[in-house]
Amino acid sequence: MQPMSKTRQVTVELITDPADERIADYRALTDVELRTRWEPPHGLFIAEGELVLRRALRAGYRPRSFLVDAKRVDQLRDLLDHGPAYAASQEVLEAVTGFHVHRGVLASFHRKPLPAAEDVLAGARRVAVLEGLNNHTNLGAVYRGAAALGIDAVLLSPTCADPLYRRSVRVSMGEVFAVPYAKLDPWPAGLDLVREAGFTILAMTPAPDAVPIQRLTPAQRAKAALLLGAEGPGLTAAAQAASDVRVVIPMRRSVDSLNVAAAAAVSFWELGREDEL
């Protein structure tokens, strides 16, 4: 190993051995089970791509280290200046991570302590409550829609996937950093806390007797908590029973439902539509 180049604060070190312990945070990134069991207990998460990394820094996440394609060191010099930085060839990067790092840069960040559900509800007008969303791609897409369409916070049931898992962060384009979130436990009894904070809990379901979402009353829209279930099974009967109103997006051409991320985006837009009037 040898120094490659110097920035204002750090030296970018060249890594030639995939087993180098200094880049242990980045090993086996394609092993979902391993990463989900290892990252949260160790207080870290991995993000990839220049745009996402810059958004993490702006959101106040503190980097543990950066790992960059050696060919891109000069292009990313100001970014790498934020913490310990390592560079490697694409061959070494792939041997460490398990995939071709075509975005050219990865970073390991320290997690922040999760706020209490009461804290993220305070001052919020519209929130999303997610039950059992364990698909990282869908979860990231929901967060991106939430950030874009006026959702103030996200609450997660204990069975939801980790929003800071690499794929969720990537799909959200780093917008997961922009939306406050918390765990809601116990479940579904924790929904009482949402109701006590003044929210109307709206359970999304394709059931034929559900209220079309565009027909909600002004009172039901005033402080809305949109409850969304996992792709396929949807909301459990217990979660629906704990809601105040069951709502549906009307479908055409015999389509019974949308992907959860698409349904979330449509519903987020509808709930915020009057903001633009």
Side-chain angles (χ1 to χ4, degrees):
M1 282 90 51
Q2 59 187 11
M4 285 195 58
S5 58
K6 210 164 199 177
T7 64
R8 292 186 299 275
Q9 299 176 22
V10 299
T11 297
V12 180
E13 297 284 346
L14 179 64
I15 301 294
T16 58
D17 181 4
D20 193 310
E21 283 300 315
R22 291 175 297 174
I23 56 170
D25 283 0
Y26 303 96
R27 287 182 188 151
L29 293 184
T30 58
D31 189 330
V32 177
E33 183 179 354
L34 173 65
R35 299 304 302 191
T36 54
R37 284 190 289 107
W38 193 76
E39 289 183 15
H42 286 81
L44 66 93
F45 68 92
I46 303 296
E48 62 180 298
E50 180 180 357
L51 174 64
V52 170
L53 269 55
R54 292 189 187 280
R55 286 180 173 170
L57 290 169
R58 284 200 298 271
Y61 285 93
R62 185 164 55 93
R64 290 162 59 98
S65 67
F66 294 89
L67 181 60
V68 63
D69 183 339
K71 295 178 181 178
R72 296 201 60 194
V73 168
D74 288 338
Q75 300 171 25
L76 300 169
R77 189 175 301 279
D78 67 310
L79 179 63
L80 304 180
D81 200 37
H82 290 274
Y86 307 103
S89 67
Q90 271 292 342
E91 292 75 17
V92 171
L93 292 175
E94 188 165 351
V96 173
T97 64
F99 67 97
H100 179 72
V101 184
H102 64 276
R103 288 177 176 82
V105 62
L106 298 156
S108 174
F109 285 94
H110 293 277
R111 290 175 181 251
K112 297 178 182 181
L114 275 185
E118 295 91 335
D119 294 334
V120 301
L121 288 170
R125 181 181 172 192
R126 285 186 290 271
V127 300
V129 186
L130 310 182
E131 182 189 40
L133 245 70
N134 50 26
N135 180 290
H136 294 101
T137 298
N138 285 335
L139 188 60
V142 168
Y143 268 88
R144 189 174 184 184
L149 298 168
I151 297 300
D152 300 311
V154 174
L155 296 174
L156 306 170
S157 79
T159 53
C160 281
D162 176 17
L164 294 183
Y165 180 70
R166 180 177 57 90
R167 188 176 301 141
S168 296
V169 172
R170 184 185 70 223
V171 171
S172 80
M173 292 299 293
E175 298 299 349
V176 67
F177 308 134
V179 184
Y181 70 93
K183 296 286 187 179
L184 195 58
D185 197 11
W187 184 266
L191 289 169
D192 290 340
L193 179 69
V194 182
R195 187 176 293 104
E196 290 165 6
F199 289 86
T200 300
I201 300 172
L202 309 174
M204 291 293 300
T205 172
D209 60 343
V211 176
I213 192 167
Q214 71 270 30
R215 295 182 186 170
L216 289 169
T217 67
Q220 292 168 332
R221 292 169 174 267
K223 285 188 75 172
L226 188 70
L227 184 55
L228 295 148
E231 188 79 15
L235 291 171
T236 62
Q240 291 189 51
S243 70
D244 299 308
V245 184
R246 297 195 306 157
V247 296
V248 64
I249 299 171
M251 298 282 112
R252 300 180 182 181
R253 295 180 178 172
S254 301
V255 176
D256 61 351
S257 63
L258 298 173
N259 165 274
V260 63
V266 170
S267 302
F268 296 162
W269 182 87
E270 171 61 29
L271 292 175
R273 178 167 53 85
E274 294 181 358
D275 293 350
E276 306 302 323
L277 298 180

